[in-house]
Each structure stands twice: as C-alpha cells, then as structure tokens.
Amino acid sequence: MLAKRIIPCLDIKDGTTVKGVNFVNFRDAGDPVELGAEYSSKGADELVYLDITASHEGRKTFTELVKRIAAHINIPFTVGGGIHELSDVETLLNAGADKVSVNSAALRKPELIDDIAQHFGSQVCVVAIDANLEADRWNCYLNGGRIPTGKDLFQWAEEAENRGAGEILFTSMTHDGVKTGYANDALAELAERLHIPIIASGGAGAVEHFYEAFAVGKADAALAASVFHFGEIDISELKRELQAKGINVRNLNEKI
C-alpha cells in the first residue's frame, strides 16, 4: 500500500498566506515562502499553493512567488489559481512547480484537462473541486466558492479522471475551516468510484480527523491549513501518531 501523504495548503491572497472559514473571513497566516520551508523541514510530503482570488479577479498566478518557493523547499509542490491555458501551465512548471491545480477553468472548459494531460502528463494535472453539501447533493462551485455550477461532485470527478486528471483535490466547503473532521462519506464514495489518488481537504482540527480521512474516507492524502499555520498540530508528531494507529505514512527519517 502506498504511504499516505500529509500536505499543508497555503492559500495566497495579495502575496501573503491567509486562512478563512467556509471560504470567507480570511486572516493573515504568515509568509508563504517561510511557511513552506518550515513545513518542508518538518516532514510534509508535499505542499499546495493556491492563489485564491486569481480566478475571481481575472489575474494570472504569482510566477515570481513560485520561483522563490522553489528556491527554498525540497519537496514537490502544486500551484493553482488563475490557470486558463497551456501557456500558464508551462510558465509555472518552468518557475519550479511540480504540478498545477485547475478548478474554475476546468469547469468552464473541461478540455483543458485533456490538453494538460496530453502535453505535460497526467501526473502534472491536479483537478481541484470545491463542493458544498446542499439538500443531500454535493454542488460544485467556481471562483473560490463564489458561483454554484449545478454540477454534481461525483459526476464531475469521474469526468475529470476520464479526461486525464492525475489526482482529485476535493475540498468540502461545508467542512472548510470548522475543524470538525473531513467529509469522509463523500471521500469514501470518491475512492469507490475513481482509480486516481484523492486528496482530502476541509475540516481538519485534530489528529483523529486525519486518521478518519485515511481509515474511513480512504483518501490517499490529507490536506490542511490552519492547524499547521497556527501551530495547533505539528506535522512530525501527527505522522508519529498516525503510524501508531496503523496508518502507513512516509518515515520522517526518509525525508531529504
């Protein structure tokens, strides 16, 4: 069985790391380069950087910041936000990113997934899905959780996989920032339907929540933000506790 991954997520707004609750009410969480370097040294397996207002504001993603991040960390990182075409992907990969995350642009133009997979390989293409539970149905949203699409989470995830996505990053807007645990039922259904890795996002507040995402939700990776940014959970200790509970995580002394 492949080792489960722990992935800190850094939401970037105006050049700084921020964290909100249910996609609103953001507060400053620190310098994205310094945080990334710290997480890299503490045993994070990967990092995700999301320019959370790029699509809403019609901007391209922060290329210069990506270059600075690449110069200071030694683990893979994914960049998302404001990616609309293949040239955007090429720019970010050349700046040092290992993968790109597409969300709004892929919902609007699904063939973008095909294009990224064909030109750069499926391993580069992470399809991020922000979905909210509404009347027993998971509704996908555009532009950082601002615009409902009416698309069903599971149908869209299956389409994304069929088009060449290498991973699905599912964020539950319902659970985001409230620290009561991940959307494990939805994660388990995604795991049942798909054949590519699923990254759980939204709801981490305790070590037990990570354990449940892996044991119950069958996620391949667990992403979190505020519990890491504000020192509530230490990544090294988290991994030790998960190992003690029988979850296969990458050994800390295997880190570069």
Side-chain angles (χ1 to χ4, degrees):
M1 181 184 295
L2 289 176
K4 304 296 187 180
R5 291 170 287 153
I6 301 298
I7 306 178
C9 179
L10 297 94
D11 291 340
I12 309 301
K13 186 175 186 290
D14 301 325
T16 192
T17 310
V18 297
K19 183 56 191 150
V21 176
N22 301 129
F23 281 45
V24 295
N25 300 324
F26 296 106
R27 59 173 169 152
D28 192 335
D31 178 82
V33 178
E34 291 178 3
L35 282 172
E38 179 183 348
Y39 296 147
S40 176
S41 70
K42 286 189 173 181
D45 297 300
E46 298 181 21
L47 297 171
V48 170
Y49 286 86
L50 300 177
D51 189 338
I52 60 172
T53 57
S55 293
H56 177 61
E57 296 172 0
R59 292 181 293 99
K60 299 293 187 181
T61 309
F62 37 50
T63 307
E64 291 306 312
L65 180 57
V66 171
K67 291 179 181 177
R68 289 173 52 214
I69 293 164
H72 286 84
I73 68 170
N74 57 11
I75 57 176
F77 71 100
T78 300
V79 176
I83 298 169
H84 301 289
E85 53 198 11
L86 286 180
S87 62
D88 298 331
V89 178
E90 185 170 16
T91 296
L92 292 168
L93 295 178
N94 287 340
D98 298 279
K99 309 175 193 177
V100 296
S101 170
V102 290
N103 188 335
S104 299
L107 279 163
R108 291 190 172 102
K109 184 185 175 186
E111 56 268 27
L112 177 63
I113 301 170
D114 306 68
D115 292 343
I116 294 172
Q118 290 166 14
H119 283 80
F120 302 106
S122 289
Q123 77 281 355
V124 164
C125 185
V126 179
V127 172
I129 304 177
D130 299 332
N132 200 41
L133 183 59
E134 299 163 359
D136 297 323
R137 181 178 180 274
W138 287 95
N139 186 12
C140 298
Y141 274 69
L142 289 164
N143 288 28
R146 292 174 177 83
I147 304 172
T149 66
K151 276 203 172 189
D152 174 76
L153 162 66
F154 305 107
Q155 292 174 1
W156 173 230
E158 287 178 331
E159 180 179 347
E161 178 182 34
N162 291 336
R163 288 182 175 275
E167 291 181 279
I168 297 295
L169 167 53
F170 162 52
T171 299
S172 166
M173 295 171 60
T174 312
H175 297 72
D176 178 67
V178 297
K179 301 182 182 180
T180 56
Y182 294 92
N184 293 314
D185 289 346
L187 286 167
E189 184 166 348
L190 285 170
E192 179 71 23
R193 293 186 181 216
L194 304 182
H195 305 90
I196 56 177
I198 298 156
I199 304 169
S201 172
V207 170
E208 191 67 20
H209 298 154
F210 289 87
Y211 172 77
E212 291 167 354
F214 297 135
V216 180
K218 309 299 181 185
D220 299 277
L223 177 149
S226 61
V227 292
F228 298 142
H229 300 340
F230 303 119
E232 297 165 37
I233 293 178
D234 178 81
I235 294 172
S236 301
E237 182 60 30
L238 167 63
K239 286 186 145 188
R240 282 191 286 270
E241 292 195 39
L242 287 172
Q243 256 180 341
K245 290 175 177 287
I247 299 297
N248 180 24
V249 296
R250 294 178 186 177
N251 198 304
L252 294 177
N253 62 22
E254 291 177 359
K255 300 307 297 178
I256 296 171

